[in-house]
Each structure stands twice: as structure tokens, then as C-alpha cells.
Amino acid sequence: MTTETTPRLRADARRNRDRIITAAQAVFTERGTEVPMEEVARTAGVGVGTLYRRFPDRDSLIRAVAHDAFSSVLEDTRATIEQEPDAWRALSQILHRGMALRTVVRLTVLSSRARALINADPNTEAVNNEFMELVDGLVKRAQADGTLRDDVSTGDIAVLSSLALQGVQALPEELRTVAPARYIAVLLDGLRADNSRPLPGRPISAQEVVVRTPEVDV
């Protein structure tokens, strides 16, 4: 009896965890990390007790959501670079990613609590660092190809894409699905090398973005 039921219980536990993570990702992205845990449970279709058995507090849930979102973005980025040899097109595809990238923006830019947890988690930090290194490589390749303007850096693109994606939260719900693609398209047009005008100041590095991200909770 025990040997037959244990695998099923483990499978159920995994499914519940996945449902909670998916629900929390959606809720955190739309409304921030301070949403009541009861709402996360309701969105996931599980009881509050089940949620707390898997994640005993809010911080543990934020860490899990962050790690899953960062890992998803990193996996997509690796696949895109492998499949798309053109640096500009690869960069464009990465910036057009959906929910996972919006979650990363929400957690790292709009929530000081989440950002502190991410910075204290070496696993998530390592994933984030690898992602930024891959994007930095694309930026340099696209500039060498003459498709990306040469007076911007990876940090500039990170900040601009964050601003474009975070602004979506203020829109009516029916516009939130199409607005990110519109804003990123406008951003990409401004990053093209052709017909660009000189920018004031100097490029911002990825390292400066990590240090200087404003602490704003929304």
C-alpha cells in the first residue's frame, strides 16, 4: 500500500507546487509581491494549507517564483542564441518574451523586497548573471554587425525594457496582452543603428543597473 501510494503523493505534491508557482508568477507580475497569500492559493486552485506546506512564508514563495522565472528566461535565451545566428534578431526575440520576462522585471525593478531576496540567493543570482552575460554578448555582436547603435550598452537596454514592461501594469486589463509587444517594438526601433541621433551622457553597464536599480514597491 505504501509503495503504491507514495509515488502518487509525490506526483500530486509536484503538481501542486507547479500550480502554486504558476499562479504566484501571474499574480506577482500583475499586482506585486504583497498580494495576500490566500489569493495566490485561490488562483492556484489549492487550499491555503497546501500553499503553506509547500512555502511556509512569502519570502520562500518569492524565491521560488524568481528562480523559476529567471531559469525560464535563461533557457529561452540560450535556445534563441543557438537557433538564431543574427545577433539583432536574437536580441529582438529575447526582448519580446512574455510572462517570464515580465516577472523578472517586476521582481528585480519594482520590488525591493524581492530584489533583496534574489541578491541573497546565490543560485538565482548565478542564473541572472549568466543571462546578462549572454545578452551582453548579443549587444556587442549586434554593434559589431552595425545593426545596433553603438552608443548604448546592456544596462541601457535592461532599464529601457524594464520601463516599457512595467508601464503595462497601469493599463486596462484588455490592453495588457498586446501592449508589451507594442512598447518593445518602439524600443527596438530606437535601438537600431540606422538613422540614429547621438545620445546625451554615456552608456550604462549591466553592473550599474544591478547596483542602482531604484527601490520602489508597487
Side-chain angles (χ1 to χ4, degrees):
M1 180 71 173
T2 302
T3 56
E4 292 177 356
T5 58
T6 299
R8 180 177 177 180
L9 289 173
R10 288 175 178 170
D12 288 344
R14 283 195 298 271
R15 279 195 297 271
N16 284 337
R17 181 193 181 279
D18 292 344
R19 290 167 68 181
I20 292 168
I21 291 292
T22 300
Q25 179 177 334
V27 172
F28 288 171
T29 301
E30 293 299 324
R31 298 181 53 192
T33 56
E34 300 305 317
V35 171
M37 296 286 273
E38 291 79 6
E39 184 165 341
V40 175
R42 184 166 55 252
T43 303
V46 301
V48 176
T50 298
L51 187 154
Y52 278 109
R53 278 195 297 274
R54 298 299 304 173
F55 304 99
D57 53 38
R58 183 180 302 276
D59 286 355
S60 62
L61 180 57
I62 291 174
R63 279 192 292 266
V65 169
H67 189 269
D68 274 34
F70 274 89
S71 297
S72 177
V73 170
L74 177 59
E75 184 178 344
D76 284 347
T77 300
R78 287 172 177 161
T80 299
I81 292 173
E82 182 177 345
Q83 296 165 12
E84 177 52 73
D86 183 87
W88 171 262
R89 285 199 292 266
L91 182 62
S92 300
Q93 291 174 28
I94 291 166
L95 291 179
H96 272 294
R97 294 303 183 205
M99 179 65 76
L101 184 56
R102 287 179 61 194
T103 302
V104 166
V105 168
R106 185 85 190 198
L107 296 179
T108 57
V109 176
L110 297 180
S111 173
S112 57
R113 177 178 188 167
R115 187 167 58 254
L117 291 170
I118 291 167
N119 290 340
D121 181 355
N123 293 326
T124 302
E125 186 179 26
V127 172
N128 182 38
N129 289 341
E130 183 178 349
F131 167 68
M132 293 300 289
E133 288 173 5
L134 291 175
V135 174
D136 194 51
L138 284 177
V139 167
K140 291 174 180 175
R141 282 173 49 203
Q143 288 173 329
D145 293 341
T147 52
L148 175 67
R149 58 190 304 156
D150 59 9
D151 55 354
V152 298
S153 189
T154 305
D156 292 303
I157 296 173
V159 171
L160 288 169
S161 59
S162 297
L163 291 171
L165 292 174
Q166 77 183 54
V168 173
Q169 312 306 324
L171 295 175
E173 186 173 355
E174 65 270 17
L175 297 178
R176 292 177 192 167
T177 56
V178 296
R182 283 178 56 83
Y183 296 158
I184 293 298
V186 173
L187 165 64
L188 288 168
D189 276 351
L191 290 173
R192 290 184 180 277
D194 52 326
N195 299 321
S196 63
R197 292 183 295 178
L199 295 174
R202 63 171 179 79
I204 299 172
S205 70
Q207 291 75 18
E208 288 174 302
V209 172
V210 173
V211 173
R212 300 177 186 275
T213 300
E215 296 192 359
V216 178
D217 284 302
V218 177

